[in-house]
Amino acid sequence: MPFNFVIDLDSLNPQQREAVTDVKGPFMILAGAGTGKTRVITSRVAYLIECGVPPEQILAVTFTNKAAREMQERVTKLIPKRTSGEKGKKAPKPTISTFHSLCVRILRLYIDRLGYKNNFVIYDESDQVSTLRKIMSHILTGDEKFDVKVVQSLLSKFKNNGPESLRDQPASLLAFAQHVQKQYESALRACNAVDFDDLILLVLKLFEEHPEVLEACRERYQYIMVDEYQDTNSSQFQLINFLAAKHHNLCVVGDDDQSIYGWRGAQISNLLDMERFYPEVKVIKLEQNYRSTNNILNAANKVIKNNSRRRGKKLWSDFGDGEKIQLSTYESDEAEAEGVVELIELARMTRNVPWEKQAILFRTNQQSRPIETALRKKRVKYNLIGGQSFFDRGEIKDFLAYLKTLVNPDDDVSLLRIANTPPRGLSDVAMERLLGISHKERKSVFGVMADAKLHEDFIPRTRNSIAEFHELILSTRNELTACPVAFPLNDWLDEFLEEQGFYGFIKRTQKTAEAADQRIANIHSLLETLGSHTLTHSPMEALQEFLEEITLDSEFAEEKKVEGALTLITMHSCKGLEFPYVHIVGLEDGLLPHSRSINEGTLDEERRLFYVALTRAREYLSLSHCTGRKRYGQVMPCNPSRFLLELPSELLERADAAMKAPPTKAAAEDFFANIFSQIKK
């Protein structure tokens, strides 16, 4: 065994060193937030190679391509350049990949055992939709109308989560989807194609039906590491257990306190119950945090301790106590947004903390609207991560396309967007033909729809759909034009969208009821804003002014997507990130914990989500909640999140009290020094 290690083991703390150097048998590394788990994983890979393990026998699996690339880069730096000993051949490397990339490697070698050719193609979502659309066009008869994306979503759910995930779907839709499924699978086989959902499932099938393939893979991957193990689902868990069952050299790295993806199939029990499958497993905890001050860590420790089923850990750091956590109460979500932006600007002006070192965290996407509005008012640059900008979301674009079509039906882009949303018998093919005719006749698509002679070659059913849609837009415009000033346009539009089946379409096309509710709430939020324009304008004038305002806002938002911007991010998307200054908003029962979690009794995952949010902060943390929040045009009373009551009072400071307290001499000197530095810039 060579002794001149490239890895500086002395730079690791005792627990990290043990996690790197104890390489035989099953091993579990419980890596708390900010404890250097990526460094441990990459150092462990390098250590194995330095100890003489052939690199090609090492497998490290993670969830994202970004994480895999980062690990590969770090390992490459740690391992000295080697030669293979055979001229012209590259030295072997460890396999560091995502679950799906690993499965593609295996299928490329062995998928012929399942009747496919090894040069199979992988269909992405758009390929799936195109294939399904062709199949459905031949199946649908009479007045049947099923949206292709709804069917695609159902098939994906069935593959990943089984038949139980489809219990809430209408029987007619399920029967149709099952009929399509058979033809879809046949179409994939005919094209020698697999879709993204098939990759892991086909490997599992290979392992079950072809023991020689499983044995070959076990010999190839004798040392296995899995990152973010708490996020593995059932099929990923089976895959790893198949591979590790012979040699038992399995090292899993994870943190049950950061398991926040149960809603998409992650099973925290994979981490909590590991001893059931590997009784001899060694467990080590990484608790020294290299990110946050102890006030922040103590708050996180106190909160997560209230989860009953967990592996105990207590984070600590060498960074001292730091500042107390700031707590603010606001009377509304608009006031909260404005107050948080004031804190951000105060930190920038008095402490020289730039926007890019600050982040706002929130539970649901719909919370971003008042925050984005407040940031725009103060012209604070921001980037929204973990979701699209409010005005770029699909349901908002659809909603605005309806409004634009009512204002100007000759707007082809908007009309084409809503013509079959929800499905009304106007397929993409039909709309493409109408668009082609419009170019030839030099008319708008709406103009072509008005002239029956221009689409007389269409089948009767499509001609009827065209006529019905044209009449819908025409009659709706006439109705709105006749309405007086102060007409309750927002209520009317809400009813109109319901009657058109738009809300029902959203509910059918979302994977969860929670996601659908959030998208509909986003539309209601915009309807409330529209309501203020109707007080002094007729409906058509109000729509025109509103759309103009939105367009200008959207252009400004696009200009701000540059470096040096504040981060606006959902709690689910912030895992793995860190910021010097963090502001967590909307800490109310119903938002965090979410009302659905309260009703379903899944508070533990919501508490873990709060824990993840808290541990993103390095130096400064502010928390806020509202006593009232606008819902469906009315301010509804709110209660503070029950999680706030779990925070020790000695770690908190009322933000308003801190603002009113007389400054110390040192604080005053720092204040003026920062102001002068800003002026000099």
Side-chain angles (χ1 to χ4, degrees):
M1 181 186 292
F3 291 97
N4 56 335
F5 293 110
V6 172
I7 309 162
D8 180 9
L9 295 176
D10 290 335
S11 67
L12 303 173
N13 68 42
Q15 291 75 28
Q16 289 176 329
R17 192 179 306 120
E18 183 181 354
V20 167
T21 58
D22 195 341
V23 294
K24 284 289 183 181
F27 203 88
M28 184 195 304
I29 302 172
L30 293 173
T35 55
K37 73 178 177 68
T38 304
R39 185 185 184 196
V40 167
I41 295 170
T42 53
S43 295
R44 187 180 171 94
V45 171
Y47 185 85
L48 281 166
I49 295 171
E50 288 292 342
C51 289
V53 174
E56 63 269 27
Q57 290 184 1
I58 300 171
L59 169 66
V61 190
T62 188
F63 278 84
T64 66
N65 289 313
K66 180 182 176 184
R69 282 193 301 270
E70 182 186 352
M71 285 185 191
Q72 188 69 69
E73 288 167 5
R74 290 202 195 186
V75 168
T76 302
K77 289 177 182 176
L78 287 172
I79 303 172
K81 290 185 179 178
R82 297 162 175 262
T83 56
S84 65
E86 295 182 48
K87 200 170 182 181
K89 287 190 176 181
K90 290 183 179 179
K93 291 182 178 180
T95 299
I96 302 176
S97 73
T98 63
F99 280 96
H100 289 96
S101 296
L102 169 66
C103 289
V104 170
R105 287 171 183 250
I106 295 172
L107 291 174
R108 288 290 177 210
L109 294 172
Y110 304 110
I111 199 172
D112 57 303
R113 268 79 161 179
L114 298 177
Y116 293 82
K117 295 178 183 177
N118 294 85
N119 64 341
F120 64 89
V121 295
I122 303 169
Y123 274 12
D124 62 16
E125 188 176 337
S126 63
D127 296 323
Q128 286 179 270
V129 169
S130 296
T131 304
L132 288 169
R133 185 174 284 118
K134 289 176 186 175
I135 293 168
M136 290 168 61
S137 67
H138 290 97
I139 294 176
L140 289 173
T141 57
D143 295 326
E144 284 184 312
K145 292 179 184 177
F146 292 108
D147 182 72
V148 65
K149 289 192 176 180
V150 175
V151 175
Q152 187 266 341
S153 176
L154 287 179
L155 298 186
S156 179
K157 272 186 181 180
F158 179 81
K159 283 187 179 184
N160 285 293
N161 305 313
E164 286 296 307
S165 62
L166 306 181
R167 285 184 302 175
D168 59 340
Q169 300 297 327
S172 59
L173 182 57
L174 282 178
F176 180 75
Q178 287 171 353
H179 186 36
V180 170
Q181 168 79 13
K182 294 177 183 177
Q183 295 199 34
Y184 174 66
E185 295 299 334
S186 297
L188 288 183
R189 292 297 290 260
C191 298
N192 194 39
V194 300
D195 64 29
F196 201 74
D197 296 321
D198 287 329
L199 294 175
I200 295 179
L201 298 177
L202 286 174
V203 171
L204 293 178
K205 188 177 182 183
L206 262 176
F207 288 169
E208 289 167 351
E209 298 178 1
H210 299 275
E212 75 283 2
V213 172
L214 175 58
E215 181 62 23
C217 290
R218 283 173 174 172
E219 288 306 304
R220 170 68 190 271
Y221 304 118
Q222 295 188 26
Y223 292 83
I224 302 170
M225 272 165 280
V226 186
D227 188 22
E228 303 286 9
Y229 193 64
Q230 77 281 349
D231 293 336
T232 51
N233 62 25
S234 176
S235 58
Q236 291 158 346
F237 176 74
Q238 290 178 59
L239 175 69
I240 294 301
N241 281 349
F242 264 127
L243 291 173
K246 181 176 181 179
H247 299 287
H248 278 216
N249 292 324
L250 171 64
C251 174
V252 302
V253 185
D255 181 7
D256 52 309
D257 290 337
Q258 295 187 75
S259 179
I260 59 174
Y261 298 121
W263 50 276
R264 68 182 189 197
Q267 296 179 333
I268 192 173
S269 58
N270 294 347
L271 188 72
L272 293 175
D273 300 334
M274 192 171 177
E275 286 88 347
R276 200 153 61 90
F277 300 93
Y278 300 92
E280 75 277 30
V281 66
K282 302 169 193 172
V283 181
I284 190 165
K285 300 176 184 178
L286 302 184
E287 297 173 299
Q288 183 174 356
N289 177 282
Y290 294 92
R291 175 187 298 160
S292 308
T293 62
N294 281 303
N295 277 341
I296 293 169
L297 297 178
N298 289 338
N301 288 333
K302 284 289 186 182
V303 167
I304 202 62
K305 197 175 179 181
N306 290 288
N307 272 6
S308 55
R309 192 163 182 255
R310 61 183 288 266
R311 293 180 180 266
K313 291 176 294 297
K314 188 175 182 181
L315 297 179
W316 61 275
S317 80
D318 283 332
F319 297 144
D321 290 340
E323 291 188 55
K324 287 191 175 185
I325 298 167
Q326 302 294 303
L327 178 62
S328 302
T329 303
Y330 298 96
E331 61 182 15
S332 68
D333 42 354
E334 286 90 353
E336 179 185 46
E338 290 170 4
V340 170
V341 173
E342 285 179 11
L343 289 176
I344 289 163
E345 286 295 82
L346 187 66
R348 185 174 69 90
M349 296 300 295
T350 64
R351 299 189 178 192
N352 208 18
V353 183
W355 289 326
E356 65 264 30
K357 290 188 177 181
Q358 303 194 59
I360 301 175
L361 277 53
F362 47 89
R363 172 64 176 85
T364 65
N365 276 317
Q366 70 194 68
Q367 289 173 258
S368 75
R369 187 193 66 81
I371 298 169
E372 287 189 75
T373 300
L375 290 168
R376 291 178 184 191
K377 281 182 182 176
K378 294 289 186 180
R379 302 196 73 82
V380 175
K381 297 178 183 179
Y382 69 92
N383 290 316
L384 187 69
I385 300 174
Q388 298 161 304
S389 173
F390 184 86
F391 300 104
D392 288 334
R393 292 173 185 147
E395 74 277 14
I396 297 301
K397 283 191 168 185
D398 290 340
F399 170 66
L400 294 177
Y402 265 102
L403 302 191
K404 289 176 182 178
T405 302
L406 292 176
V407 169
N408 176 19
D410 293 322
D411 176 351
D412 282 350
V413 172
S414 297
L415 184 138
L416 289 169
R417 185 175 183 95
I418 65 161
N420 210 41
T421 305
R424 48 170 65 90
L426 295 171
S427 67
D428 289 353
V429 174
M431 296 312 295
E432 284 173 14
R433 286 181 64 188
L434 286 172
L435 187 60
I437 296 169
S438 75
H439 287 314
K440 183 180 178 181
E441 296 293 328
R442 295 186 179 182
K443 290 184 176 182
S444 68
V445 173
F446 191 75
V448 172
M449 286 180 160
D451 189 344
K453 291 181 181 179
L454 294 178
H455 44 84
E456 60 186 8
D457 290 334
F458 286 68
I459 61 173
R461 189 174 61 199
T462 304
R463 287 205 306 271
N464 288 338
S465 295
I466 292 170
E468 287 172 4
F469 179 71
H470 180 267
E471 177 57 26
L472 170 69
I473 299 301
L474 199 62
S475 61
T476 305
R477 276 175 50 78
N478 290 338
E479 183 178 348
L480 286 176
T481 303
C483 289
V485 172
F487 176 76
L489 180 59
N490 48 341
D491 294 337
W492 184 92
L493 281 169
D494 190 34
E495 190 175 328
F496 171 77
L497 293 173
E498 180 68 51
E499 289 174 353
Q500 292 306 308
F502 185 56
Y503 292 150
F505 171 71
I506 290 174
K507 290 174 183 176
R508 293 194 306 274
T509 54
Q510 296 308 300
K511 290 187 177 180
T512 65
E514 180 181 350
D517 290 344
Q518 286 183 4
R519 290 180 183 272
I520 293 171
N522 288 340
I523 294 169
H524 285 150
S525 175
L526 212 51
L527 281 170
E528 289 169 17
T529 306
L530 171 60
S532 63
H533 291 264
T534 62
L535 299 176
T536 55
H537 295 82
S538 67
M540 279 300 186
E541 290 171 336
L543 285 176
Q544 207 152 10
E545 184 185 75
F546 175 71
L547 290 169
E548 190 175 291
E549 198 172 276
I550 293 295
T551 302
L552 293 173
D553 278 346
S554 298
E555 288 171 356
F556 177 59
E558 287 173 7
E559 291 170 3
K560 294 185 298 188
K561 293 181 181 178
V562 294
E563 291 184 7
L566 172 108
T567 298
L568 199 56
I569 188 168
T570 64
M571 293 180 187
H572 277 105
S573 299
C574 73
K575 193 153 80 78
L577 302 177
E578 60 182 64
F579 308 92
Y581 275 51
V582 168
H583 310 269
I584 305 176
V585 301
L587 292 174
E588 300 134 32
D589 270 3
L591 279 179
L592 187 77
H594 195 276
S595 54
R596 191 173 300 278
S597 296
I598 296 171
N599 295 334
E600 295 175 355
T602 55
L603 290 178
D604 280 10
E605 180 152 327
E606 292 290 292
R607 188 178 282 109
R608 291 194 291 268
L609 189 58
F610 186 38
Y611 173 84
V612 167
L614 292 171
T615 53
R616 299 312 95 195
R618 291 173 57 186
E619 305 167 24
Y620 173 95
L621 177 62
S622 81
L623 311 175
S624 61
H625 67 96
C626 301
T627 57
R629 189 171 288 271
K630 247 187 183 178
R631 289 173 192 161
Y632 309 111
Q634 292 185 329
V635 176
M636 306 295 289
C638 300
N639 293 317
S641 169
R642 62 195 69 190
F643 299 151
L644 287 176
L645 302 177
E646 298 173 358
L647 294 169
S649 58
E650 65 270 16
L651 300 179
L652 302 175
E653 180 178 59
R654 296 297 309 190
D656 49 0
M659 295 282 284
K660 292 174 184 176
T664 63
K665 183 180 179 183
E669 289 174 353
D670 286 344
F671 174 84
F672 287 111
N674 282 321
I675 292 294
F676 286 135
S677 69
Q678 293 289 320
I679 293 171
K680 287 178 181 178
K681 288 181 182 178

